[in-house]
């Protein structure tokens, strides 16, 4: 039964066509945008002989269906989704959603570098003060040895502190620039980026996933397992109050809204599992196994992605196979199914 036959607000998701246009997916039916105003966007079924329409607000939230029902069965999204996710179609990330998320993650890295630079900047400033003080000490007529020792001590500590601060700051900036280039290198040449697809989680679905991966009692602790919730509270409250979030897939990685940016350049793809999130509901998802490249701290890390209720198992399998083809150069047809009990 579709959400049209019930009082429930349908879960919507979007795909990007090979003509760089967004396609709306509701209950397996694909819609193309017909027109839009400042407040409402109007979508029509992509089947030309079907006159069913959907209205969304400016935040891409569902408003209503038109009166005409669909005159056909749901679209075979799985077959269409294959070419929409195929890297050979060269879809660029021109959407404001993508660019905003990329800019957010870049700014977060720059902010971390700024804080580290400030800390060592203060350390270097103290070294500079000690160094200048060593030259400012007046010549002593008495206690020559004491004055000489004091000046030498200040000179050594000042020069060492200043030099260490400058060196560490230089290393941090260079490493960060390399890291940013490696992490966001796919976006420097968007024509070779490949196809993208977006999942949008609304309302209870987003809150459930947010609590699972980032909440006060989160169950997923693959990254920063010892981090305190007080350090995450501000971001958590902002994303919770927003009531929706996105998961973006592109050919060489994926983005979990403002939380995690995972390029396969840094996280080598090892495998994908299809997850049954809850045995009592038809919620599905993906568990993506990666190997985090971090020198001595390299290790296996997996990411759990909850799919919107409108996404079918066939669509999930298509993503898994597309990643297998893109990353491994293989057509992986056997994707294991695993159960994942989630507390609600």
């Amino acid at each position: 039964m579709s959400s049209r036959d019930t009082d429930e607000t349908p879960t919507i998701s979007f795909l990007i066509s090979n003509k760089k246009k967004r396609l709306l997916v509701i209950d397996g039916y694909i819609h193309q945008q017909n027109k839009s105003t400042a407040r409402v966007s109007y979508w029509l079924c992509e089947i030309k002989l079907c006159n069913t329409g959907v209205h969304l607000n400016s935040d891409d939230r569902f408003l209503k269906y038109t009166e005409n029902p669909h005159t056909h069965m749901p679209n075979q999204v799985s077959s269409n989704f294959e070419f929409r996710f195929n890297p050979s179609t060269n879809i660029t990330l021109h959407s404001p959603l993508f660019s905003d998320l990329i800019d957010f993650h870049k700014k977060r890295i720059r902010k971390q570098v700024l804080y580290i630079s400030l800390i060592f900047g203060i350390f270097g400033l103290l070294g500079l003060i000690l160094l200048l003080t060593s030259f400012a000490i007046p010549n002593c007529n008495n206690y020559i040895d004491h004055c000489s020792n004091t000046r030498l001590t200040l000179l050594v500590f000042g020069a060492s502190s200043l030099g260490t601060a400058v060196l560490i700051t230089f290393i941090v900036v260079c490493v960060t620039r390399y890291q940013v280039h490696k992490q966001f290198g796919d976006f420097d040449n968007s024509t070779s980026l490949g196809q993208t697809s977006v999942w949008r989680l609304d309302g209870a679905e987003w809150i459930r996933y947010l609590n699972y991966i980032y909440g006060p009692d989160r169950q997923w602790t693959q990254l920063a397992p010892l981090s305190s919730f007080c350090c995450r509270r501000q971001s958590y409250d902002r994303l919770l109050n927003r009531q929706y979030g996105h998961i973006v897939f592109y050919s060489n990685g994926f983005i979990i809204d403002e939380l995690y940016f995972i390029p396969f350049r840094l996280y080598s793809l090892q495998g994908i599992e299809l997850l049954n999130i809850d045995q009592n509901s038809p919620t599905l998802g993906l568990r993506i196994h990666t190997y985090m490249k971090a020198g001595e701290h390299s290790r296996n890390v997996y990411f759990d992605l909850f799919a919107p209720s409108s996404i079918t198992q066939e669509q999930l399998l298509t993503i898994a196979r597309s990643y297998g083809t893109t990353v491994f150069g293989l057509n992986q047809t056997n994707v294991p199914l695993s159960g994942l009990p989630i507390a609600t």
Side-chain angles (χ1 to χ4, degrees):
M1 180 181 294
S2 69
S3 58
R4 185 178 186 130
D5 301 323
T6 67
D7 294 330
E8 297 180 0
T9 300
T11 300
I12 66 176
S13 59
F14 293 94
L15 300 175
I16 306 297
S17 74
N18 60 346
K19 295 182 180 180
K20 305 180 182 180
K21 295 182 179 180
R22 288 202 307 170
L23 300 175
L24 170 66
V25 182
I26 298 183
D27 295 329
Y29 294 98
I30 301 177
H31 304 76
Q32 298 175 338
Q33 185 169 342
N34 182 36
K35 60 181 180 179
S36 64
T37 65
R39 296 184 177 182
V40 181
S41 60
Y42 302 88
W43 301 75
L44 294 176
C45 181
E46 72 169 0
I47 303 300
K48 300 302 182 182
L49 298 179
C50 179
N51 294 321
T52 299
V54 178
H55 296 178
L56 305 180
N57 67 10
S58 58
D59 293 325
D60 288 338
R61 291 182 179 273
F62 175 83
L63 293 178
K64 67 176 183 178
Y65 290 105
T66 59
E67 295 181 359
N68 300 322
H70 287 284
T71 59
H72 57 93
M73 296 297 291
N75 306 70
Q76 294 297 318
V77 181
S78 58
S79 59
N80 291 333
F81 192 79
E82 180 69 39
F83 78 80
R84 291 186 180 102
F85 199 76
N86 192 316
S88 64
T89 50
N90 294 328
I91 293 300
T92 60
L93 293 185
H94 64 286
S95 166
L97 167 65
F98 300 141
S99 59
D100 289 347
L101 283 177
I102 294 168
D103 289 342
F104 176 86
H105 286 281
K106 285 184 177 180
K107 289 178 181 178
R108 182 165 63 179
I109 294 177
R110 294 190 185 106
K111 186 181 295 185
Q112 293 171 350
V113 174
L114 177 62
Y115 290 153
I116 295 175
S117 299
L118 285 176
I119 292 174
F120 285 101
I122 294 173
F123 186 69
L125 180 61
L126 293 176
L128 179 61
I129 293 174
L130 292 177
L131 186 62
L132 294 176
T133 302
S134 69
F135 291 107
I137 294 178
N139 294 325
C140 300
N141 295 324
N142 299 319
Y143 309 106
I144 296 178
D145 292 340
H146 174 72
C147 291
S148 299
N149 290 337
T150 302
R151 176 177 293 179
L152 180 61
T153 301
L154 293 175
L155 180 63
V156 171
F157 276 99
S160 299
S161 300
L162 180 59
T164 301
V166 171
L167 178 61
I168 293 179
T169 302
F170 177 76
I171 293 175
V172 168
V173 171
C174 290
V175 170
T176 302
R177 290 189 54 158
Y178 171 77
Q179 191 83 355
V180 169
H181 174 73
K182 192 171 183 180
Q183 185 168 355
F184 298 97
D186 291 323
F187 300 92
D188 294 336
N189 183 11
S190 58
T191 58
S192 63
L193 181 64
Q195 278 287 1
T196 61
S197 180
V198 181
W199 289 352
R200 173 167 171 143
L201 299 169
D202 283 290
E205 289 185 338
W206 171 243
I207 294 173
R208 186 188 191 195
Y209 181 57
L210 183 63
N211 284 325
Y212 172 79
I213 200 171
Y214 207 67
D217 299 315
R218 62 175 182 164
Q219 294 176 255
W220 181 86
T221 57
Q222 289 291 296
L223 293 181
L226 301 179
S227 68
S228 172
F229 177 66
C230 65
C231 300
R232 308 191 304 271
R233 178 179 292 276
Q234 184 176 1
S235 298
Y236 172 81
D237 289 341
R238 184 181 70 258
L239 295 174
L240 183 69
N241 293 332
R242 198 176 64 181
Q243 292 289 306
Y244 69 89
H246 300 92
I247 298 175
V248 180
F249 297 92
Y250 65 99
S251 60
N252 291 317
F254 56 92
I255 307 171
I256 306 177
D257 210 271
E258 298 179 2
L259 301 179
Y260 301 105
F261 186 97
I262 310 300
F264 292 148
R265 290 186 176 197
L266 300 179
Y267 295 80
S268 298
L269 181 62
Q270 302 295 305
I272 301 177
E273 291 180 86
L274 183 64
L275 297 177
N276 187 1
I277 305 302
D278 191 342
Q279 300 294 338
N280 298 321
S281 67
T283 305
L284 298 174
L286 294 174
R287 172 168 288 179
I288 300 182
H289 294 271
T290 68
Y291 182 74
M292 183 176 67
K293 303 173 184 177
E296 296 180 354
H297 303 286
S298 299
R299 58 189 176 89
N300 292 317
V301 177
Y302 68 81
F303 297 88
D304 290 334
L305 310 178
F306 290 13
S309 56
S310 60
I311 300 297
T312 66
Q313 181 171 324
E314 285 299 319
Q315 290 174 266
L316 293 176
L317 289 172
T318 299
I319 293 178
R321 291 164 183 162
S322 298
Y323 271 149
T325 302
T326 303
V327 178
F328 297 116
L330 301 172
N331 185 14
Q332 293 185 328
T333 56
N334 298 320
V335 180
L337 174 65
S338 300
L340 179 64
I342 303 298
T344 57

